[in-house]
Amino acid sequence: MTELHHPFYLKLKEMLKNATHTIKDAMADLMEQELVTIEEIAEMMKQHPDTLIEQQTLLGITYRFYRLTIENMAFYMETRVINNKKHLERVLFVTFGTTEHSLLTYRSYDDQMQLNKPIKVNNTIKTLVKDGIEKSFV
């Protein structure tokens, strides 16, 4: 039996072929990704008519909690109200993903994340965010 037809080599060849396809698929997914900012996601959540908003005041500080589910995408955001009359809020926490898995979490105290820094998302999320901001849902 030649070494190239040995079961070990055949198995190794099959594994490498599968790994190559997996890498190609992952690269294709990366190439399809779009860029949005946490700021844009937050604005979309504030304006969307299906967003559920809860408000709570603790020790004189007002917090708002936003929840939005669109198809199989779930969004959650916490903000602190800075000026109620001018509708100014500071984004404290944002997380979004599918209803099963979180794709991204932003925390205001994390120096690595910034509200206006572009992040990679799939085309579905970008479409939701861009359409939401352009339409303003009003």
Side-chain angles (χ1 to χ4, degrees), residues 54-65 79-82 84:
E54 295 177 36
Q55 185 168 300
Q56 201 171 35
T57 302
L58 304 166
L59 299 173
I61 301 171
T62 303
Y63 298 94
R64 290 197 181 122
F65 307 94
T79 65
R80 176 182 174 196
V81 176
I82 297 171
N84 209 7

Side-chain angles (χ1 to χ4, degrees), residues 68-100:
L68 174 63
T69 302
I70 303 173
E71 297 173 18
N72 69 335
M73 298 301 300
F75 298 85
Y76 176 76
M77 176 173 63
E78 297 175 4
T79 65
R80 176 182 174 196
V81 176
I82 297 171
N83 187 328
N84 209 7
K85 292 179 182 177
K86 294 183 180 180
H87 303 289
L88 295 177
E89 299 175 63
R90 179 170 185 246
V91 176
L92 302 175
F93 179 84
V94 174
T95 188
F96 67 90
T98 64
T99 50
E100 292 87 28

Side-chain angles (χ1 to χ4, degrees), residues 20-36:
T20 302
H21 288 297
T22 302
I23 291 169
K24 281 173 124 178
D25 292 344
M27 291 301 290
D29 288 346
L30 283 174
M31 297 305 284
E32 290 179 10
Q33 290 185 336
E34 303 284 343
L35 298 175
V36 297

